[in-house]
Amino acid sequence: MTEIVIDKKKYVLLPDEDYKALQKKAALKTKPEKLLSIEEARAHSKKLIQKWAAEK
């Protein structure tokens, strides 16, 4: 790991393997987004379309 200072900002350089390992570890900690049922998705879509149509 190497630190670089450019314009008073610190940056860290990592080997590609370490970077990918950090990405994988972070991805495992995030919660997946809630999936909508078909009915919920249709209702949400209609709501957005009506909102968009009202703006036009």
Side-chain angles (χ1 to χ4, degrees):
M1 182 168 65
T2 307
E3 287 187 11
I4 298 174
V5 178
I6 301 173
D7 295 331
K8 298 182 183 178
K9 293 183 182 179
K10 281 189 179 181
Y11 297 94
V12 179
L13 297 178
L14 295 172
D16 194 40
E17 297 167 353
D18 294 344
Y19 177 71
K20 288 183 180 179
L22 282 173
Q23 275 187 323
K24 186 175 182 180
K25 189 175 180 181
L28 293 173
K29 289 185 178 182
T30 60
K31 294 180 182 178
E33 292 183 20
K34 178 187 171 203
L35 295 178
L36 299 175
S37 68
I38 293 175
E39 293 82 20
E40 291 172 331
R42 284 186 180 144
H44 184 67
S45 296
K46 286 181 183 179
K47 185 178 173 183
L48 291 176
I49 290 169
Q50 289 173 354
K51 181 181 175 184
W52 174 79
E55 292 175 358
K56 289 274 174 174

